């Protein structure tokens, strides 16, 4: 177990750096110009070409970057990291020919993770999620979203969200919690979906929000999950509490979820393989981020591509995330997701990099503190053993991290 408070401070002058394109918006040194970052009290005070460093920072204690490529700390903006058990058996079922929907209808799927999550206590859930978080952090993740949705009852959703908060404290990583009580219908509510949504809206969400456990609210709007009307009911409950919303939208079919979410000013719409032109236009107008989840697309062997070119043309910001979950995306590398976003979805490398930094931060409402290296922001950046930014998406299965500065501390690879 790591204790964040034991990481050394990153305060000082970081030199010998090469900034990846887009890493420090507003500064222009290219990757061949030596860059420097001045950090004081855990905050970036200055970033730019070393030759332009203001004298006031020149005397700070040095950290030699030795030519490392630098990006902002990565942001994994859509995960279901906290759950009990795993579902390799369903992977085997699908290999034998069953579809995701058939597995769900046979009592597997989300509901089997619900059983295992309910059986586990908080410490057990923490112990199971911690090694998964460590894998993601090893790729340079500095902020992560963690959803509930495998408890589907007040006490069990609470357990998941509390574990999410504890993980953030233990590892010194920014965690945004998202309440996904409307992820699946719990077995005890079979045939009573309306009653369950009432419970989500009137009891679970208000109680968990009052406990400070909810940063945003999400719904799985899909044929095998909740309808558009049920989704709107949850959004209204969120709005009444002043909480931002997000949506699992148009993953398996076009439900019109994205346009609804956009009307509620959603931070993001996620998956969106079946997103319509109207959905794109609504997202453009509301400034909603499109979160692409190539790990789920890959695992489900989906062939229906999200409308990347139309999103690009409309200027809708695109983020990329792991969607880490035990059913459809047991992915533990955000770099691998960059590779898949490029290979499967044809994102460019700069798009994929912005997708796991700038736009991912925005999908969490964290754009003031994460996703860029900028004066006044907490110091979150990664030094890579790479020459070229394209290598971030090019290699897969490699772990090229050299050092991670997370929340002003050197969480990996102290260099002094
Ligand atoms: N969409 C997904 O891909 C996951 N949840 C969701 O709403 C699947 C979750 C699971 O199968 O456990
Ligand atoms: Fe998901």
């Amino acid at each position: 177990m790591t204790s964040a408070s034991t990481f050394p401070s990153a305060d000082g002058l970081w030199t010998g750096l090469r900034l990846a394109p887009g890493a420090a918006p507003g500064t222009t040194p290219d990757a061949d110009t030596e860059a420097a970052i001045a950090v004081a009290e855990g905050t970036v005070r200055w970033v730019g070409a070393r030759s332009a460093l203001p004298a006031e920072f020149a005397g700070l204690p040095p950290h030699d970057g030795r030519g490392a490529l630098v990006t902002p700390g990565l942001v994994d903006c859509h995960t279901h990291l906290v759950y009990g058990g795993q579902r390799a058996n369903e992977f085997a079922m699908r290999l034998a020919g069953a579809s995701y929907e058939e597995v769900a209808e046979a009592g597997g799927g989300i509901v089997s993770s619900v059983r295992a999550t309910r059986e586990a206590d908080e410490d057990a859930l923490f112990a199971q999620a911690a090694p998964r978080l460590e894998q993601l952090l090893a790729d340079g993740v500095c902020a992560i979203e963690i959803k509930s949705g495998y408890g589907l009852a007040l006490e069990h959703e609470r357990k998941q969200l509390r574990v999410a908060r504890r993980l953030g404290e233990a590892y010194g990583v920014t965690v945004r919690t998202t309440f996904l009580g409307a992820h699946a219908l719990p077995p005890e509510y079979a045939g009573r979906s309306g009653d369950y949504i009432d419970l989500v809206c009137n009891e679970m969400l208000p109680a968990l929000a009052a406990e400070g456990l909810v940063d945003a609210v999400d719904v799985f709007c899909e044929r095998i999950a909740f309808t558009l009307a049920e989704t709107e009911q949850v959004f209204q409950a969120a709005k009444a509490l002043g909480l931002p919303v997000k949506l699992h939208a148009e993953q398996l079919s076009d439900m019109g979820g994205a346009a609804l979410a956009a009307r509620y000013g959603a931070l993001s719409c996620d998956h969106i393989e079946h997103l319509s032109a109207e959905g794109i236009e609504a997202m453009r107008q509301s400034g909603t981020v499109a979160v692409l989840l190539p790990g789920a697309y890959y695992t489900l062997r989906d062939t229906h591509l999200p409308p990347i070119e139309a999103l690009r043309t409309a200027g809708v910001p695109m983020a990329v995330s792991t969607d880490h979950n035990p059913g459809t995306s047991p992915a533990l590398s955000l770099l691998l997701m960059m590779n898949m976003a490029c290979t499967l979805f044809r994102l460019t490398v700069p798009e994929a990099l912005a997708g796991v930094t700038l736009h991912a931060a925005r999908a969490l409402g964290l754009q003031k503190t994460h996703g860029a290296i900028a004066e006044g922001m907490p110091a979150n950046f990664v030094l890579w053993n790479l020459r070229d930014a394209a290598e971030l998406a090019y290699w897969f299965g490699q772990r090229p991290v050299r050092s991670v500065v997370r929340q002003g501390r050197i969480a990996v690879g102290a260099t002094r």
Side-chain angles (χ1 to χ4, degrees):
M1 248 291 306
T2 322
S3 174
S5 54
T6 62
F7 297 142
S9 163
D11 283 5
L13 181 65
W14 293 75
T15 57
L17 306 177
R18 292 174 308 109
L19 290 174
T27 65
T28 43
D30 58 29
D32 294 324
T33 305
E34 187 191 350
I37 304 173
V39 179
E41 291 168 354
T43 299
V44 173
R45 295 293 178 209
W46 188 85
V47 55
R50 185 178 185 181
S51 57
L53 181 77
E56 62 185 290
F57 301 115
L60 290 177
H63 297 274
D64 185 358
R66 294 177 288 125
L69 182 77
V70 180
T71 68
L74 307 191
V75 178
D76 196 351
C77 66
H78 178 141
T79 87
H80 310 247
L81 194 73
V82 176
Y83 54 85
Q86 45 83 12
R87 308 224 302 270
N89 61 322
E90 291 175 17
F91 177 63
M93 276 176 76
R94 285 203 304 274
L95 290 177
S99 71
Y100 178 58
E101 281 146 305
E102 282 161 0
V103 169
E105 278 154 16
I110 295 174
V111 168
S112 73
S113 293
V114 171
R115 273 193 300 275
T117 302
R118 288 179 174 180
E119 277 163 20
D121 66 14
E122 234 181 84
D123 288 344
L125 286 178
F126 185 98
Q128 290 181 54
R132 296 193 285 259
L133 178 61
E134 288 177 16
Q135 290 290 314
L136 292 170
L137 297 180
D139 259 1
V141 166
C142 290
I144 182 171
E145 186 242 25
I146 302 179
K147 301 177 194 291
S148 69
Y150 288 116
L152 309 185
L154 178 57
E155 66 177 302
H156 300 295
E157 292 283 299
R158 175 188 286 127
K159 228 168 40 181
Q160 275 192 282
L161 294 170
R162 285 173 53 98
V163 169
R165 288 271 189 254
R166 272 177 59 190
L167 287 166
E169 283 154 23
Y171 286 88
V173 58
T174 301
V175 168
R176 298 300 277 177
T177 54
T178 297
F179 173 66
L180 180 57
H183 190 199
L185 195 60
E188 63 276 16
Y189 277 85
R192 293 190 296 132
S193 160
D195 290 347
Y196 181 64
I197 291 295
D198 286 346
L199 180 79
V200 163
C201 294
N202 303 333
E203 291 178 37
M204 291 163 70
L205 177 55
L208 297 169
E211 290 167 38
L213 290 171
V214 181
D215 297 324
V217 177
D218 191 355
V219 175
F220 189 15
C221 179
E222 193 53 68
R223 290 190 306 239
I224 57 166
F226 296 99
T227 65
L228 201 62
E230 290 165 339
T231 301
E232 179 153 24
Q233 200 183 325
V234 177
F235 283 178
Q236 292 205 335
K239 193 175 163 188
L241 294 164
L243 293 169
V245 301
K246 317 168 72 69
L247 191 65
H248 280 73
E250 344 300 17
Q251 180 186 7
L252 309 170
S253 61
D254 179 13
M255 303 273 291
L260 173 72
R263 274 204 276 123
Y264 281 81
L267 289 171
S268 69
C269 290
D270 305 37
H271 286 289
I272 57 168
E273 276 81 353
H274 294 261
L275 181 63
S276 66
E278 297 74 49
I280 293 172
E281 175 55 19
M283 288 171 70
R284 184 190 68 73
Q285 285 181 23
S286 59
T288 298
V289 177
V291 178
L292 306 171
L293 304 171
Y297 178 93
Y298 165 83
T299 301
L300 296 172
R301 302 180 75 226
D302 201 346
T303 52
H304 198 293
L305 285 165
I308 302 298
E309 187 53 41
L311 288 163
R312 187 183 277 139
T313 305
V316 173
M318 293 183 278
V320 174
S321 168
T322 59
D323 189 19
H324 176 88
N325 77 74
T328 61
S329 191
L332 289 168
S333 165
L334 194 50
L335 286 186
L336 178 58
M337 298 305 109
M338 284 180 70
N339 172 271
M340 287 188 181
C342 294
T343 303
L344 299 174
F345 296 167
R346 312 313 284 166
L347 257 60
T348 65
V349 171
E351 282 173 339
L353 181 54
V356 297
T357 55
L358 200 63
H359 297 157
R362 181 161 160 195
L364 297 179
L366 289 177
Q367 60 272 33
K368 295 215 169 83
T369 52
H370 291 78
I373 306 171
E375 196 182 316
M377 278 198 187
N380 286 296
F381 53 86
V382 185
L383 275 60
W384 305 91
N385 288 317
L386 297 173
R387 200 46 240 159
D388 186 335
E391 289 180 88
L392 290 163
Y394 162 73
W395 304 105
F396 55 98
Q398 202 197 167
R399 289 244 127 109
V401 163
R402 183 191 298 174
S403 308
V404 179
V405 170
R406 195 163 71 227
Q407 295 296 93
R409 296 193 169 268
I410 308 174
V412 176
T415 54
R416 195 175 274 162

Coordinates of all heavy atoms in Angstrom, one line a residue, residues 78 80 147 248 271 293 323 325, ligand 2:
H78 N -13.8 7.9 -17.3 CA -15.0 7.0 -17.2 C -14.5 5.6 -16.8 O -14.0 4.8 -17.6 CB -15.6 6.9 -18.6 CG -16.8 6.0 -18.8 ND1 -17.9 6.3 -19.5 CD2 -17.1 4.8 -18.2 CE1 -18.8 5.3 -19.5 NE2 -18.3 4.4 -18.7
H80 N -15.5 2.1 -14.0 CA -16.3 1.4 -13.0 C -15.3 0.6 -12.2 O -15.3 -0.6 -12.2 CB -17.3 0.5 -13.6 CG -18.1 1.1 -14.7 ND1 -19.5 1.3 -14.6 CD2 -17.8 1.6 -16.0 CE1 -20.0 1.9 -15.7 NE2 -19.0 2.0 -16.6
K147 N -17.3 5.3 -10.9 CA -18.7 5.2 -10.8 C -19.2 4.2 -9.8 O -18.5 3.2 -9.6 CB -19.3 4.9 -12.2 CG -19.0 5.8 -13.3 CD -19.6 5.3 -14.6 CE -19.0 6.0 -15.8 NZ -19.4 7.4 -16.0
H248 N -24.4 7.3 -20.3 CA -24.0 6.1 -21.1 C -25.1 6.2 -22.3 O -26.2 5.8 -22.1 CB -24.2 4.8 -20.4 CG -23.0 4.5 -19.5 ND1 -22.8 5.1 -18.3 CD2 -22.0 3.5 -19.7 CE1 -21.7 4.5 -17.8 NE2 -21.2 3.6 -18.6
H271 N -19.7 6.5 -24.9 CA -19.9 5.3 -25.8 C -20.2 5.9 -27.2 O -19.4 5.8 -28.1 CB -20.9 4.3 -25.3 CG -20.5 3.5 -24.2 ND1 -19.6 2.5 -24.4 CD2 -20.9 3.4 -22.9 CE1 -19.4 1.9 -23.2 NE2 -20.2 2.4 -22.3
L293 N -14.9 5.1 -26.0 CA -14.5 4.0 -25.1 C -14.1 2.8 -26.0 O -14.9 1.8 -26.1 CB -15.6 3.7 -24.2 CG -16.1 4.9 -23.3 CD1 -17.4 4.5 -22.5 CD2 -15.0 5.3 -22.4
D323 N -13.2 3.0 -19.7 CA -14.4 2.4 -19.3 C -14.1 1.2 -18.4 O -14.8 0.1 -18.5 CB -15.3 2.0 -20.5 CG -16.7 1.5 -20.2 OD1 -17.2 1.9 -19.1 OD2 -17.3 0.9 -21.0
N325 N -14.3 -1.8 -16.6 CA -15.4 -2.6 -15.9 C -15.2 -4.0 -16.1 O -14.5 -4.4 -17.1 CB -16.8 -2.0 -16.3 CG -17.1 -2.6 -17.7 OD1 -17.5 -3.7 -17.9 ND2 -17.1 -1.7 -18.7
Ligands
LIG2 FE1 -19.3 2.5 -18.6

